[in-house]
Amino acid sequence: MEAELTALAASGATAFVGLMVTEAWTQARGRVARFLARGEDVDVIDAELEESREELTAARAAADDEAIADVEEEWRIRLRRALRANPEAADELRTLLDELTLGAAGPAVSVTNSISGGTQNGPVFQGQTFSALTFNSGRGADAPEQRPGTA
């Protein structure tokens, strides 16, 4: 049973730390804080989670893998201690992790796009997210030269 709780604590820490650097963390943080509080002040735990998120963000920006591992290790130890003190919390943690990882993944969506109709007069992109696109309208080497006033 000890090995199972240790593995669950490691999974929980990995999931929590992974969520800390996503947009989903805003919604998950309160639930994680309530789970971890267990008789303590939720606001204190929430502040500790926020502090860890700030450390993690700074460590990622500095590409400091050791600091990232330290944040995860800290929460792994805290989760392991919480599960040792209250083994019944394991089911609650499993449920929380299932819900958080499902929520972080988002709903499964299938999209099918097709392009038809012959000549395309511009670039065509298919995908989910695009940003900072630049299109140059310079003439290609084989494009006919146009004189002013002609189409």
Side-chain angles (χ1 to χ4, degrees):
M1 184 70 164
E2 179 66 26
E4 182 181 337
L5 293 179
T6 299
L8 181 58
S11 294
T14 300
F16 294 166
V17 169
L19 280 170
M20 284 180 185
V21 293
T22 68
E23 291 178 19
W25 179 244
T26 304
Q27 296 173 344
R29 188 175 81 194
R31 294 187 65 199
V32 172
R34 284 189 299 278
F35 172 81
L36 291 167
R38 306 224 166 257
E40 296 179 46
D41 186 357
V42 173
D43 292 335
V44 171
I45 301 297
D46 188 60
E48 291 173 354
L49 287 165
E50 184 59 22
E51 184 179 326
S52 288
R53 187 193 67 76
E54 290 170 6
E55 289 175 25
L56 186 63
T57 301
R60 286 177 54 120
D64 186 349
D65 292 338
E66 189 174 322
I68 293 169
D70 288 348
V71 172
E72 187 171 326
E73 179 70 7
E74 174 186 345
W75 289 104
R76 186 187 63 75
I77 290 168
R78 293 205 42 194
L79 280 171
R80 190 180 68 219
R81 287 180 182 155
L83 292 173
R84 280 186 185 158
N86 184 3
E88 296 80 32
D91 288 336
E92 186 180 343
L93 179 57
R94 283 186 196 95
T95 301
L96 178 60
L97 291 174
D98 288 345
E99 291 171 4
L100 292 177
T101 54
L102 178 63
V109 176
S110 176
V111 176
T112 303
N113 295 315
S114 63
I115 300 172
S116 62
T119 304
Q120 305 302 319
N121 294 315
V124 177
F125 294 87
Q126 293 182 324
Q128 182 174 349
T129 305
F130 298 99
S131 63
L133 296 176
T134 303
F135 299 100
N136 296 320
S137 61
R139 254 183 324 126
D142 56 6
E145 184 178 336
Q146 292 187 357
R147 294 190 174 102
T150 64

